[in-house]
């Protein structure tokens, strides 16, 4: 290509100065040297090195080996549209384009009625027809990704374990609301002990309706009380629960209560987190994103968690869309998944034929009174208060309690050390006596 470029530079000026008859011979010679098609070769010799003004802002210089840059079309979404999209995206907790696109038109109209955003009719029209790919492309400079992992705090329980069956998908009607997966999320702050708060997270399999309840610790009495609170907050009847194998769930209180109330009680397989995939993904997208990974172990922090979860439940269930798997096909080593259009748990409850009309009407009335931007502000206010309590240094009494605990541990370990020392001393005496006898 470099040789062709040098030949074109040497031939172009002579070709443009020559008359028509001489141009034919020069063009034949150029075609033979370069191998170009005749029409393309003539175009190269005519335009090589010539500056062409496409528009007042674009001037193009002809050159072999360089493609002409086309100006492209004007952007359809101007700065005003992007600003409005960013505001809605922040209010919707930074969700992806596939979740935001189906509800974007409705959210813009709702926020406009509440006075949270002000935009022109043309801007609202553009936001309403925006696709998921366009949303992700426009939000790409603002998007930030975090990869944080938590720690499991539950241990397998043995009581009644064999009496509670493993969950099989044939036993549950996953299209009917009322079958929940439950799990505990620990707030230990990186210190491995049981003296900290937990969150009991429950997610409905059919609708994705999520309820969070703070617990003082993972004792059976608090887990059982949390289950009763979750049942009172559900907009539909509780038909079944599925838990992991922790002793906070596999116990006599849970088992007897479910038998008495005719609630299907199942458990997942040990060390198979995907058996509880619906609640496991909510552990991060709802609890961890709202509370974080800080330590919560005081009564004040437990009260703040309870205050935080009140707007969080409304915000998640009424305004946070999620996608559900529609089908999965395997083609050799590749798996193709197809998803339903993103819907909020509130929308799925309204679409369910198992929910009575009176309950749906109550939910519609409640939805009309809610403001997602106001709920978001309430969440951020409680998050700041919770973060301020977590940042405080521990009280002097708590430090002394820790020292006493360490002292007790040392006192328990001392007799073991003395026994081990005595055994070693007796062995050494036996060895010396054996050597003397020899």
């Amino acid at each position: 290509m470099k040789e062709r470029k040098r030949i074109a530079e040497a031939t172009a000026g002579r070709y443009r100065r020559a008359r028509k008859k001489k141009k034919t011979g020069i063009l034949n010679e150029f075609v033979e040297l370069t191998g170009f098609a005749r029409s393309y070769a003539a175009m190269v010799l005519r335009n090589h090195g010539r500056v062409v003004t496409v528009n007042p802002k674009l001037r193009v210089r002809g050159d072999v080996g360089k493609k002409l840059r086309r100006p492209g079309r004007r952007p359809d979404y101007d700065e005003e549209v992007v600003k409005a999209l960013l505001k809605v995206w922040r209010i919707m907790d930074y969700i992806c384009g596939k979740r935001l696109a189906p509800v974007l038109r409705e959210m813009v109209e709702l926020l406009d009625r509440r006075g949270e955003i002000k935009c022109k009719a043309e801007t609202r029209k553009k936001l309403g027809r925006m696709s998921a790919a366009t949303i992700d492309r426009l939000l790409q400079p603002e998007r930030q990704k975090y990869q944080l992992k938590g720690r499991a705090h539950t241990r397998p329980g043995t009581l009644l374990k064999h009496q509670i069956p493993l969950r099989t998908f044939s036993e549950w009607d996953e299209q009917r609301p009322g079958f929940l997966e439950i799990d505990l999320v620990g707030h230990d702050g990186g210190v491995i002990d049981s003296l900290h708060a937990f969150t009991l997270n429950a997610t409905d399999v059919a609708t994705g309706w999520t309820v969070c309840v703070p617990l003082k610790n993972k004792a059976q009495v608090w887990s059982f009380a949390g289950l009763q609170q979750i049942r009172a907050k559900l907009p539909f009847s509780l038909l079944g629960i599925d838990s992991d194998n922790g002793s906070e769930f596999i116990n006599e209180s849970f088992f007897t209560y479910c038998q008495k109330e005719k609630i299907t009680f199942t458990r997942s397989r040990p060390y198979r987190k995907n058996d509880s995939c619906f609640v496991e993904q909510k552990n991060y997208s709802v609890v961890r994103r709202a509370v974080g990974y800080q330590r919560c172990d005081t009564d004040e922090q437990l009260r703040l968690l309870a205050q935080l979860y009140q707007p969080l439940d409304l915000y998640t269930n009424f305004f946070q869309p999620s996608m559900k798997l529609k089908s999965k096909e395997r083609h050799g080593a590749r798996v193709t998944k197809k998803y339903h259009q993103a819907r909020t748990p509130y929308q799925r409850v309204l679409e369910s034929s198992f929910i009575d009309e009176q309950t749906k009407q109550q939910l519609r009335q409640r939805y009309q009174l809610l403001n997602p931007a106001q709920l978001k502000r309430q969440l951020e206010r409680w998050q700041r208060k919770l973060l301020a309590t977590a940042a405080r240094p521990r009280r002097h009494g708590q430090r002394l309690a820790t020292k006493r605990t360490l002292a007790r541990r040392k006192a328990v370990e001392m007799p073991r050390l003395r026994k081990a020392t005595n055994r070693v001393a007796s062995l050494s005496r036996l060895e010396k006596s054996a050597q003397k006898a020899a």
Side-chain angles (χ1 to χ4, degrees):
M1 194 64 192
K2 292 181 180 180
E3 294 295 333
R4 293 175 178 177
K5 187 175 182 178
R6 286 195 288 267
I7 294 172
E9 290 175 355
T11 310
R14 184 162 55 93
Y15 178 81
R16 285 198 293 266
R17 290 191 300 269
R19 294 185 177 274
K20 187 174 182 180
K21 291 183 179 180
K22 290 186 178 181
K23 281 184 177 181
T24 302
I26 296 172
L27 182 61
N28 293 336
E29 179 185 354
F30 183 69
V31 169
E32 185 178 355
L33 290 174
T34 59
F36 289 155
R38 191 175 183 82
S39 59
Y40 178 72
M43 185 271 294
V44 169
L45 293 177
R46 282 197 309 269
N47 297 316
H48 190 277
R50 180 177 294 176
V51 177
V52 180
T53 302
V54 179
N55 57 50
K57 294 184 179 181
L58 180 63
R59 300 178 70 191
V60 179
R61 179 182 295 275
D63 193 1
V64 178
K66 291 186 179 180
K67 296 182 179 179
L68 181 65
R69 290 187 62 185
R70 298 182 180 179
R73 67 176 187 178
R74 297 177 60 185
D76 190 20
Y77 302 107
D78 53 10
E79 186 178 356
E80 183 180 355
V81 178
V82 176
K83 285 184 178 179
L85 176 63
L86 281 172
K87 189 164 186 179
V88 177
W89 180 58
R90 291 191 181 103
I91 292 174
M92 295 298 292
D93 200 24
Y94 312 96
I95 60 178
C96 66
K98 289 185 178 180
R99 294 173 59 193
L100 183 58
V103 297
L104 183 57
R105 181 194 296 273
E106 181 182 356
M107 286 298 106
V108 171
E109 294 176 356
L110 178 62
L111 293 172
D112 187 51
R113 289 198 304 267
R114 299 287 190 269
E116 297 293 340
I117 61 173
K118 294 181 180 180
C119 54
K120 301 177 182 178
E122 183 65 22
T123 301
R124 290 197 299 270
K125 185 178 179 181
K126 290 181 179 180
L127 289 171
R129 69 167 185 260
M130 195 175 290
S131 66
T134 303
I135 292 173
D136 288 332
R137 177 173 53 83
L138 295 177
L139 295 176
Q140 186 177 4
E142 299 291 332
R143 191 179 299 277
Q144 296 181 358
K145 297 181 180 179
Y146 300 92
Q147 295 181 354
L148 298 175
K149 295 184 178 181
R151 181 186 293 108
H153 300 82
T154 57
R155 294 181 179 178
T158 57
L159 180 64
L160 301 176
K161 184 175 180 180
H162 298 289
Q163 299 184 35
I164 299 174
L166 291 171
R167 177 187 171 190
T168 57
F169 290 91
S170 60
E171 295 177 357
W172 275 26
D173 184 3
E174 297 195 354
Q175 303 302 319
R176 183 173 183 175
F179 292 94
L180 294 108
E181 291 181 353
I182 59 176
D183 194 16
L184 284 184
V185 182
H187 306 293
D188 62 352
V191 180
I192 303 176
D193 59 14
S194 58
L195 303 175
H196 56 83
F198 285 80
T199 294
L200 180 58
N201 186 18
T203 301
D204 180 60
V205 176
T207 63
W209 196 279
T210 302
V211 180
C212 299
V213 175
L215 306 180
K216 189 173 183 178
N217 51 55
K218 63 174 183 178
Q220 297 178 7
V221 60
W222 300 118
S223 300
F224 180 67
L227 175 64
Q228 292 178 320
Q229 293 182 41
I230 287 173
R231 189 178 185 185
K233 291 182 178 182
L234 291 174
F236 39 77
S237 301
L238 178 60
L239 303 178
I241 58 174
D242 180 72
S243 70
D244 57 18
N245 294 270
S247 59
E248 61 274 5
F249 300 126
I250 310 300
N251 56 67
E252 190 70 32
S253 300
F254 263 66
F255 186 68
T256 306
Y257 179 76
C258 292
Q259 282 187 329
K260 182 180 177 181
E261 299 295 329
K262 298 182 179 179
I263 299 172
T264 304
F265 187 17
T266 59
R267 60 185 176 90
S268 60
R269 294 172 294 177
Y271 310 107
R272 301 293 182 93
K273 285 188 175 293
N274 200 43
D275 287 357
S276 303
C277 58
F278 295 97
V279 71
E280 288 289 347
Q281 62 186 358
K282 298 295 183 181
N283 287 345
Y284 171 75
S285 63
V286 177
V287 180
R288 289 300 185 193
R289 283 181 62 87
V291 180
Y293 293 82
Q294 61 195 9
R295 182 177 179 86
C296 301
D297 56 0
T298 65
D299 294 338
E300 181 186 2
Q301 291 172 332
L302 192 67
R303 181 185 60 82
L304 291 175
L305 282 175
Q307 296 289 342
L308 173 66
Y309 288 147
Q310 290 181 8
L312 180 63
D313 289 347
L314 297 174
Y315 180 76
T316 302
N317 295 320
F318 283 91
F319 300 106
Q320 285 290 291
S322 59
M323 296 186 298
K324 293 191 67 177
L325 186 65
K326 183 178 181 180
S327 63
K328 183 168 64 175
E329 298 178 358
R330 180 178 294 277
H331 304 280
R334 178 176 296 179
V335 177
T336 303
K337 297 180 181 180
K338 295 183 179 179
Y339 292 86
H340 292 284
Q341 189 180 37
R343 309 287 286 171
T344 62
Y346 161 73
Q347 291 172 333
R348 292 195 180 100
V349 170
L350 294 185
E351 294 170 356
S352 176
S353 59
F354 298 99
I355 307 297
D356 59 277
E357 191 60 33
Q358 182 180 0
T359 303
K360 293 181 181 179
Q361 186 61 29
Q362 292 175 355
L363 291 175
R364 292 190 189 98
Q365 294 175 358
R366 194 173 190 180
Y367 176 75
Q368 294 298 325
L369 300 175
L370 296 176
N371 182 355
Q374 183 181 3
L375 292 174
K376 182 67 174 175
R377 287 192 292 269
Q378 292 177 5
L379 278 173
E380 292 175 350
R381 182 169 67 251
W382 291 114
Q383 285 171 343
R384 288 192 294 269
K385 290 183 178 180
L386 186 63
L387 183 61
T389 60
R392 295 176 189 170
R394 292 184 176 275
R395 295 190 299 273
H396 180 67
Q398 291 179 335
R399 288 198 296 270
L400 291 178
T402 304
K403 291 180 180 178
R404 292 194 193 100
T405 303
L406 294 174
R408 284 196 298 268
R409 289 178 182 173
K410 291 181 179 179
V412 172
E413 291 175 355
M414 283 304 295
R416 299 175 184 172
L417 291 173
R418 291 193 190 98
K419 290 181 180 180
T421 306
N422 293 334
R423 281 197 296 268
V424 172
S426 61
L427 288 174
S428 61
R429 284 195 296 271
L430 287 174
E431 289 178 356
K432 289 180 180 179
S433 61
Q435 290 176 358
K436 290 181 181 179

